[in-house]
Amino acid sequence: MADRSFLSWPFFESRHRELADNLRQWCADNLTGEPAKGGEQSPGQYYESIDLNDAFHPQTILARSLNDMPLPVGHGAPLRLRVERQLGYKHAKYVMRIELTDQLGRVGRGKGGFWEDRGYEWYAGI
């Protein structure tokens, strides 16, 4: 069962939507140049971001369990974000921290995510 409580807190919705446009997820992946994960990579922490419209969409899931059991590491524990309206590279696994931000340019190469910094589109809508 997925847990959507973080994304539906009335306080979060009303107060923080005025302060930020995006939700950035910091993941436990610490990439150190593994070619199997896309070729040219530099050391650093994996991160991804989505806009608040997708964060609050009913199909977006912040999962901490699977089949009534704690989410296993193989499926992205401790938290996994599923953004069903976007391509798979926007579905962050191993999420350790989530933060609101009004700017994406302060992290990495300023494109809003690990893969976006390497040429992928920021909005990967389907």
Side-chain angles (χ1 to χ4, degrees):
M1 178 66 83
D3 180 12
R4 295 177 193 221
S5 60
F6 173 81
L7 300 177
S8 63
W9 288 341
F11 173 79
F12 181 89
E13 286 190 39
S14 63
R15 174 161 179 160
H16 294 93
R17 280 186 180 222
E18 298 170 10
L19 304 174
D21 300 320
N22 300 288
L23 205 65
R24 184 170 28 222
Q25 308 92 47
W26 294 95
C27 303
D29 288 349
N30 188 7
L31 303 174
T32 56
E34 299 173 59
K37 289 189 175 181
E40 183 183 327
Q41 296 181 9
S42 59
Q45 188 174 25
Y46 186 86
Y47 72 102
E48 193 53 71
S49 64
I50 58 173
D51 63 26
L52 293 184
N53 287 333
D54 275 326
F56 286 97
H57 192 275
Q59 289 179 305
T60 298
I61 300 169
L62 184 60
R64 62 181 176 152
S65 62
L66 177 67
N67 298 326
D68 297 321
M69 300 290 292
L71 189 66
V73 171
H75 287 278
L79 292 172
R80 181 176 185 164
L81 182 66
R82 296 281 304 187
V83 187
E84 295 301 323
R85 299 184 332 147
Q86 295 204 24
L87 296 175
Y89 69 91
K90 300 297 283 188
H91 301 206
K93 295 190 265 182
Y94 319 112
V95 176
M96 302 297 288
R97 184 174 86 219
I98 297 174
E99 64 186 21
L100 292 166
T101 183
D102 60 347
Q103 295 183 8
L104 298 175
R106 298 181 192 154
V107 177
R109 297 180 190 160
K111 304 289 184 180
F114 178 84
W115 289 112
E116 291 85 340
D117 287 347
R118 286 147 182 82
Y120 284 59
E121 293 293 323
W122 180 79
Y123 185 75
I126 51 176

